[in-house]
Amino acid sequence: MAALGATVIRAGRRFLSSLPALFGVLVFTFLLMRVLPGDPAVFFASGPNAGKEEIEVIRKQMGLNKPVPEQLMLYLYDVGSGNLGRSMMTGQLVTKDLRERLPASLELTFTALLIALVSAVPLGVLAALRPGSIIDHGVRFVCALGVCVPTFVSGLLLIYVFYYLLGLAPDPTGRIDIFASLPPRRTGFLLFDFLLAGDFDGWWAAFRQLILPALSMALFVVAPLARITRASMLVSLGSDFVRTARSVGLPWWRVVVTYALRNAILPVITIAGIVFSTMLGANVLVEKVFSWPGVASYALDALLSSDYAPVQGFVLLMATVFVIVNLLVDILYGIADPRVTIG
Amino acid sequence: MVVASIALSVAAGSVQAQTRSETLRYVTGASVNTLDPNIPGSTREAFAVSLSTYDRLVSFGRKQLNGKWVFDLGKITGELAESYEVSPDGLKMTFRLRKDAKFQDGTPVTAEDVKWSLDRVVTAPVLGKAQLLTGSMTSADQFKVIDPLTIEVTLPKPDKLALPNLATVYPIIFNSKVAKAHATADDPWALAWLKENTAGSGAYKIESFKPGEQVIMARNEAWTRGTPDKSASFKRIIVQSVPEPATRANLVERGDADLVIDLQASDVQSLEAKGKLKVISTPQYNAVTFISMNNQIPPFDNVNVRRAVAFALPYDDMFKAALFGRGSPLFGATWADGKPSSGAYPIPQPVKLDLEKAKEYLKAAGMSDGFSTTFSFNVGQASTAEPMAALVKESLAKIGIKVDIQKLPDAQMSTQINEKKLPFFTEGIVAWLPSTDYFYRNFYTGNQRWNYSSINNPELVEIAQKARFEPDAAKYEEDGIKLNAIHFTEIPQIPLWQPSQDAVMASSVEGYTYQFHRQVDYRDLNRK
């Protein structure tokens, strides 16, 4: 119990120490958006007949008529009070947009990561048990295939086969069939919300909708996870304690799982953490292909139209997620290997 | 598991079938970002939604063009107005409102509401202000309530475009009592509230609105306008954003979506060839795609250089590569005695690929060795502009003009156009009210953004301004011919084609009409 308390305190301290980094990200993104070419006011005034006057109105609305240092001060003040500004594209507050869309992205990314881990770790272990064998080559082949097919290609292929040709998958737009009704929003994660509402048909519909996008994202990250598992399993299997465990006649699965895998899993956790954070931001193509209402496609649309507030909000969100994921990885380290403490 | 899932999906399918036939599911690449089309930054999809939730005083009729229904600029019918009359001197328009017209909250539509809504368009900082200016409506004094069901609009000068302007998407009629209740001292016209809420009398009510994702609308059973005998046909309308064009094509082909208008030309072609769906291609007769040259930047300030470029473009190949030939070409015409064949805009130009002629013009410009330039287009139009740009580069290289292709993000392209920095680029224009003088005044005069080529020709300006108020049709035609002749002599930019609007729909959907805002008017549609 004392150990747990100490971990929480340390984790809290770690989080506080990352605040300056978050602040840096905030200022940097703000300045970066301002030096990018392209005037958002001109873009948003692009309707027929939008002249100089309309451009000025929009500029004022976005607060772009003030000098940059003043804009930055106002922005920092707003962020401090929990306001990330208003998006020109959707007309909503950025915080509201992000709050609505983040669960969609998280649900997709968690599912994809789960699929990836469940398939990559056994593949990596299998490959490591028989290095150089036909299994090893097979795993390498699968990994190469996964990593060299871009996610939007695999996404479109999956849609073509499972939706268009076979008709097995539901239509690949959004998180749930457009004619279905949504459960009351509690967590924002549809799978949980449906369970909480006791609506199992709804849960099944949401689950079916989730499979294809999660699969196309998982395909892309199986490779790094499997390769890391294989490499660290090889080291682990060749080490003294495994040889000792074998020599005392322990059953092979116990040697592999308890002794070798537990020691080999640390680098996999690290990579999984990194993979998760990058996936959350980089799944924009999957979100586009499947019309998934997530944060990444939102940020891309905003970037293309130079809509400052959502891009800044998104970057800040990603930085925060990155900090939290790193923290989680460190905590998991402590569980996997009690010698490691976070400091 | 598999059996269960099949059984489940079959069961789900039969339940949905009943609601589906009464629902129109429309998928689009763009998104609806506001419920009030007047808000700066509103998208075209938002226009279509607004026209279903709000009524205007008047709307355009429809006519057949080559066997397809298109909006008719010449025929204006009442929507909220039961009848209207224009005084003989053209200075007064009187609108009599329908007695049975009610807002969606049940209160009657009055002349006060109309006045408030029209005042708002010309007073508030909204998009409609610049639009109504083109119809000589600039001040709230021009709108007068005569009695609870009659409103009068006075004009400073007779203006052909005044009445049609009231049929565009901006002067929609709001429920002024509801709107005023949500106005604040900072926001007297309730811009913020109306952006996310509606207060109209239209055929559909908003059921749910998720900006950037979807809008679901339910039929307003009390609506009696549009067709005289019944309210709108579909019970529900779903407008859903699906960014990936291939997915949109799949959805409509599998029958999960009913209608889509913005597919890639190649997908439309293959869907048409399969013959399962209805494909209605209408040339966008109020739109033009062109290649523009900045008439103020060397070397394009030299008319001979512009002519050289005009005769060095591989028109046919570009038309095939960019649009798969879907549209009507604006090149390759022959003008008898070199005079424009009509006073309409746009008309096909007497240009075709002729490298010898192009070289002569280049020589006349004193640039027989050619020059270097950049050709720009925006990312949003990449699917048509990219193949076109490659062909332009290849062909111009043959007469010594070296072209760098520049692909710009949309916001950056808009900015550079606004600042008049691009020498050579492709763009498209649309006019809601496609009359010759309107095109010339908006796209060929002044130091404003829409004068893409930055042309400054006093004669053209004078004729275009005069033609606006020309009551005599024959003289107007004459002015149009003069304008077209100046256009061809100066070649400020090269009109290429009018792209088709390809509407792909389930074979059961009927009534599709090409509209001035290049979106679907959901009220036109029904399922047979």
Side-chain angles (χ1 to χ4, degrees):
Chain A
M1 211 53 216
L4 184 70
T7 311
V8 169
I9 289 169
R10 284 209 199 92
R13 205 180 294 149
R14 253 300 278 285
F15 184 76
L16 283 182
S17 69
S18 55
L19 284 183
L22 287 182
F23 180 77
V25 166
L26 200 66
V27 174
F28 181 72
T29 323
F30 179 89
L31 294 177
L32 192 67
M33 285 308 289
R34 262 78 188 162
V35 296
L36 280 183
D39 182 344
V42 177
F43 177 77
F44 285 109
S46 60
N49 288 308
K52 286 210 167 59
E53 204 179 327
E54 282 71 26
I55 295 175
E56 273 319 304
V57 168
I58 294 184
R59 195 163 279 149
K60 222 169 127 193
Q61 228 176 48
M62 296 180 82
L64 299 176
N65 53 343
K66 302 189 176 80
V68 173
E70 197 186 335
Q71 284 181 41
L72 179 60
M73 280 302 144
L74 285 173
Y75 179 64
L76 290 178
Y77 175 79
D78 279 349
V79 172
S81 50
N83 176 9
L84 292 177
R86 198 173 267 279
S87 157
M88 288 296 290
M89 281 184 318
T90 65
Q92 307 275 319
L93 288 175
V94 172
T95 38
K96 184 169 179 252
D97 276 340
L98 290 178
R99 207 168 48 230
E100 269 173 16
R101 286 165 170 266
L102 184 63
S105 285
L106 285 178
E107 190 168 38
L108 178 61
T109 311
F110 274 126
T111 314
L113 189 65
L114 194 72
I115 296 176
L117 279 175
V118 165
S119 44
V121 171
L123 281 178
V125 171
L126 277 179
L129 286 176
R130 298 269 181 283
S133 70
I134 192 94
I135 299 175
D136 191 16
H137 287 301
V139 171
R140 192 171 290 138
F141 175 74
V142 170
C143 290
L145 208 64
V147 87
C148 68
V149 179
T151 45
F152 71 94
V153 174
S154 54
L156 285 175
L157 270 175
L158 288 174
I159 291 177
Y160 183 71
V161 174
F162 290 99
Y163 169 67
Y164 180 79
L165 286 182
L166 302 176
L168 286 175
D171 72 67
T173 56
R175 300 172 74 186
I176 181 130
D177 183 88
I178 192 128
F179 291 90
S181 50
L182 285 171
R185 185 187 168 99
R186 292 199 177 98
T187 60
F189 290 83
L190 280 186
L191 292 183
F192 287 129
D193 283 356
F194 273 120
L195 279 186
L196 290 173
D199 178 356
F200 295 104
D201 291 350
W203 186 88
W204 177 242
F207 178 72
R208 287 193 345 145
Q209 203 84 19
L210 184 60
I211 293 271
L212 288 192
L215 210 58
S216 43
M217 260 167 90
L219 276 178
F220 195 64
V221 294
V222 159
L225 293 173
R227 302 306 297 168
I228 281 289
T229 311
R230 178 183 180 274
S232 87
M233 269 306 272
L234 276 180
V235 174
S236 195
L237 285 170
S239 60
D240 291 346
F241 57 84
V242 168
R243 205 175 52 204
T244 312
R246 275 207 183 110
S247 66
V248 298
L250 287 172
W252 72 267
W253 60 268
R254 208 157 157 204
V255 175
V256 170
V257 176
T258 320
Y259 290 85
L261 188 59
R262 182 161 181 192
N263 281 285
I265 209 75
L266 285 182
V268 180
I269 293 174
T270 318
I271 294 292
I274 294 171
V275 159
F276 176 80
S277 321
T278 43
M279 264 160 96
L280 193 56
N283 60 15
V284 51
L285 292 171
V286 175
E287 288 186 2
K288 280 276 171 213
V289 169
F290 290 91
S291 313
W292 200 260
V295 282
S297 61
Y298 173 70
L300 182 75
D301 289 343
L303 190 62
L304 283 180
S305 47
S306 294
D307 194 357
Y308 293 162
V311 178
Q312 287 161 193
F314 172 78
V315 175
L316 184 64
L317 177 76
M318 282 301 118
T320 315
V321 168
F322 212 87
V323 166
I324 292 172
V325 166
N326 270 330
L327 209 61
L328 275 178
V329 166
D330 287 353
I331 293 170
L332 285 178
Y333 253 64
I335 295 168
D337 184 350
R339 289 170 303 171
V340 180
T341 52
I342 55 171
Chain B
M1 183 85 159
V2 175
V3 176
S5 80
I6 291 171
L8 230 151
S9 56
V10 169
S14 62
V15 173
Q16 276 165 14
Q18 296 164 8
T19 53
R20 280 220 164 162
S21 65
E22 295 176 317
T23 302
L24 178 86
R25 185 178 177 197
Y26 169 79
V27 290
T28 167
S31 63
V32 180
N33 59 352
T34 161
L35 294 178
D36 176 1
N38 281 293
I39 302 292
S42 57
T43 57
R44 282 201 275 134
E45 302 298 331
F47 296 159
V49 167
S50 300
L51 289 193
S52 297
T53 50
Y54 288 99
D55 289 323
R56 297 153 286 169
L57 279 176
V58 288
S59 54
F60 294 120
R62 61 178 199 163
K63 64 178 177 188
Q64 290 226 305
L65 188 77
N66 307 325
K68 284 147 196 161
W69 288 107
V70 300
F71 74 97
D72 183 357
L73 189 67
K75 192 170 121 200
I76 291 179
T77 55
E79 197 162 288
L80 269 180
E82 192 175 63
S83 67
Y84 66 86
E85 60 198 50
V86 182
S87 65
D89 60 0
L91 293 177
K92 239 178 219 163
M93 301 186 286
T94 314
F95 299 90
R96 266 173 251 290
L97 301 181
R98 287 163 166 271
K99 291 174 203 73
D100 62 346
K102 288 200 169 53
F103 284 113
Q104 288 169 0
D105 67 354
T107 55
V109 179
T110 66
E112 284 297 336
D113 296 303
V114 177
K115 164 139 179 80
W116 187 85
S117 307
L118 296 180
D119 287 357
R120 182 182 191 260
V121 181
V122 296
T123 319
V126 293
L127 293 176
K129 208 170 168 175
Q131 177 66 41
L132 261 60
L133 183 75
T134 67
S136 299
M137 286 172 279
T138 51
S139 137
D141 310 337
Q142 290 173 262
F143 311 116
K144 202 168 114 198
V145 175
I146 304 291
D147 65 48
L149 288 176
T150 314
I151 184 143
E152 190 182 85
V153 178
T154 44
L155 300 170
K157 260 189 195 183
D159 191 327
K160 281 191 285 294
L161 294 185
L163 189 60
N165 249 299
L166 293 176
T168 61
V169 306
Y170 298 129
I172 47 178
I173 306 304
F174 296 93
N175 186 336
S176 64
K177 288 140 297 207
V178 175
K180 275 187 215 157
H182 291 94
T184 61
D186 290 343
D187 181 14
W189 299 104
L191 295 175
W193 189 78
L194 286 169
K195 191 171 178 179
E196 286 165 40
N197 299 278
T198 53
S201 57
Y204 287 92
K205 298 177 190 178
I206 298 290
E207 201 174 283
S208 80
F209 169 47
K210 288 191 197 160
E213 284 178 53
Q214 66 190 54
V215 182
I216 299 180
M217 296 186 282
R219 184 165 68 190
N220 171 15
E221 301 294 344
W223 191 73
T224 50
R225 296 163 287 284
T227 48
D229 52 327
K230 64 173 170 106
S231 58
S233 180
F234 280 101
K235 222 171 190 170
R236 270 174 111 208
I237 306 272
I238 296 176
V239 180
Q240 191 186 11
S241 301
V242 175
E244 179 60 44
T247 308
R248 292 199 290 276
N250 284 345
L251 283 169
V252 70
E253 190 179 354
R254 295 261 327 163
D256 283 329
D258 296 304
L259 175 61
V260 55
I261 58 167
D262 49 356
L263 292 178
Q264 283 177 339
S266 52
D267 286 337
V268 176
Q269 208 173 35
S270 77
L271 287 176
E272 196 170 29
K274 283 180 195 162
K276 279 198 311 195
L277 297 166
K278 198 191 280 185
V279 178
I280 299 182
S281 298
T282 328
Q284 303 183 17
Y285 77 95
N286 56 340
V288 187
T289 303
F290 54 72
I291 287 181
S292 194
M293 296 163 281
N294 189 324
N295 290 216
Q296 309 297 331
I297 300 181
F300 295 111
D301 56 348
N302 186 324
V303 67
N304 283 317
V305 170
R306 302 200 292 269
R307 286 185 187 138
V309 173
F311 282 97
L313 296 177
Y315 295 97
D316 288 309
D317 294 346
M318 283 157 60
F319 191 44
K320 275 185 209 121
L323 292 186
F324 290 77
R326 307 188 72 87
S328 44
L330 293 175
F331 50 83
T334 37
W335 286 0
D337 339 315
K339 280 184 78 180
S341 50
S342 125
Y345 182 96
I347 52 166
Q349 305 286 302
V351 290
K352 58 181 197 306
L353 178 62
D354 185 342
L355 289 177
E356 286 315 309
K357 212 165 176 177
K359 275 182 200 155
E360 275 168 35
Y361 278 125
L362 213 50
K363 205 171 158 197
M367 270 179 256
S368 2
D369 295 338
F371 55 88
S372 298
T373 185
T374 53
F375 182 75
S376 320
F377 60 88
N378 71 29
V379 177
Q381 285 167 358
S383 62
T384 55
E386 206 150 36
M388 187 174 121
L391 288 166
V392 168
K393 181 182 170 129
E394 188 193 355
S395 192
L396 289 186
K398 289 178 192 156
I399 59 167
I401 303 178
K402 232 183 116 254
V403 177
D404 256 343
I405 296 176
Q406 197 181 34
K407 185 172 167 179
L408 296 172
D410 299 19
Q412 203 176 330
M413 179 100 179
S414 318
T415 308
Q416 299 233 32
I417 284 177
N418 197 39
E419 290 169 0
K420 310 272 174 212
K421 280 190 179 147
L422 296 178
F424 185 40
F425 58 97
T426 178
E427 256 297 345
I429 58 171
V430 193
W432 283 353
L433 310 171
S435 62
T436 305
D437 73 290
Y438 185 88
F439 271 111
Y440 276 106
R441 278 186 293 120
N442 280 300
F443 299 108
Y444 292 94
T445 66
N447 181 28
Q448 35 115 2
R449 170 182 179 175
W450 310 112
N451 183 358
Y452 288 110
S453 58
S454 301
I455 179 180
N456 181 16
N457 182 311
E459 197 189 348
L460 186 150
V461 176
E462 199 201 312
I463 302 174
Q465 294 297 0
K466 182 173 81 72
R468 176 177 181 186
F469 300 108
E470 178 59 68
D472 184 341
K475 278 192 190 146
Y476 186 79
E477 173 74 9
E478 215 170 276
D479 286 339
I481 290 179
K482 275 188 216 155
L483 289 169
N484 283 339
I486 297 175
H487 188 287
F488 183 64
T489 321
E490 289 289 316
I491 309 199
Q493 49 197 12
I494 308 160
L496 295 175
W497 50 67
Q498 299 181 290
S500 276
Q501 172 119 305
D502 298 311
V504 180
M505 63 199 86
S507 51
S508 59
V509 175
E510 290 196 325
Y512 171 80
T513 304
Y514 173 73
Q515 291 290 354
F516 65 99
H517 46 72
R518 293 186 299 150
Q519 288 296 309
V520 180
D521 191 332
Y522 308 116
R523 301 172 302 178
D524 295 336
L525 302 171
N526 62 72
R527 204 191 291 278
K528 74 172 174 220

